[in-house]
Amino acid sequence: MFKPLAKLLKALSSNTDPGAIACAFACGLILGFIPKGNLIWWVLFVFMLFMRIQRGAFALAIFLGSLLAPRLDPTFISIGDKVLHLPQFIPYYIKLLDTPFVVFTKFNNTVVMGSLVVSVISFIPVYIIVRILIFVWRRYIGNAMRKLKFLQNIKQIPLIEKIVDAVEEA
């Protein structure tokens, strides 16, 4: 459980490409927002596993997105309803529902469609915000935190020392 988080913490302070971390977080947020148990989620999950992204940020974003998604469900339902009721797309939706296996995507569910639309639209803003946060972390916060006496004392606690060793090994 600590290993992906340890790798993420190490990546934030190392030479890991900020774009890889930001992309991983944005991709993870897509999967965090989309309800689990449909074909869209699984196809995206498998596709993202083949991408070269930072796995710790990916896992953290899925977790955070899954925590945030229930609070955003009314927004997802509203947007999904509007997208599914666009008159120019209704013939395509009917054809898709007649196609084998497409029904397993559950794209006709307002929550699935709304969360997919919101997460895809929010991909670029999330990517940019995370890159900015990584820059701020590396430039200002990370160095300042290493110098704090309080954190240096906490590092000497045996459990914390093991976690710090795991971060340094990762």
Side-chain angles (χ1 to χ4, degrees):
M1 179 179 158
F2 288 115
K3 197 164 189 170
L5 187 58
K7 285 185 179 184
L8 173 64
L9 290 174
K10 184 174 182 179
L12 284 175
S13 299
S14 70
N15 287 333
T16 303
D17 180 28
I21 299 171
C23 183
F25 197 85
C27 288
L29 210 55
I30 289 174
L31 288 179
F33 283 168
I34 296 175
K36 286 65 173 163
N38 62 59
L39 190 60
I40 292 174
W41 194 91
W42 285 105
V43 167
L44 288 174
F45 180 72
V46 169
F47 174 73
M48 289 176 190
L49 285 180
F50 288 107
M51 292 174 57
R52 189 173 183 177
I53 56 177
Q54 211 284 325
R55 303 272 190 246
F58 182 67
L60 179 66
I62 291 174
F63 177 73
L64 292 176
S66 297
L67 289 178
L68 189 61
R71 298 183 195 283
L72 295 174
D73 272 351
T75 305
F76 295 157
I77 291 169
S78 171
I79 292 172
D81 188 52
K82 288 177 184 166
V83 169
L84 289 172
H85 286 96
L86 290 172
Q88 61 268 31
F89 291 126
I90 290 178
Y92 298 111
Y93 296 150
I94 293 171
K95 287 181 184 178
L96 280 174
L97 285 174
D98 290 337
T99 306
F101 297 108
V102 173
V103 74
F104 297 119
T105 63
K106 297 181 184 175
F107 78 91
N108 56 339
N109 183 322
T110 55
V111 177
V112 173
M113 182 60 81
S115 62
L116 181 64
V117 168
V118 168
S119 60
V120 168
I121 289 172
S122 66
F123 182 87
I124 297 211
V126 167
Y127 177 85
I128 292 169
I129 290 169
V130 171
R131 276 197 76 134
I132 291 169
L133 291 174
I134 292 169
F135 173 78
V136 169
W137 173 268
R138 288 182 177 176
R139 185 70 151 238
Y140 304 107
I141 300 172
N143 291 331
M145 288 185 71
R146 282 188 204 99
K147 295 176 184 175
L148 291 175
K149 286 278 190 196
F150 172 73
L151 289 178
Q152 291 174 355
N153 291 335
I154 286 183
K155 283 183 186 178
Q156 295 174 355
I157 297 173
L159 177 63
I160 303 297
E161 191 173 14
K162 287 181 182 179
I163 294 172
V164 169
D165 291 340
V167 169
E168 291 172 358
E169 288 175 12

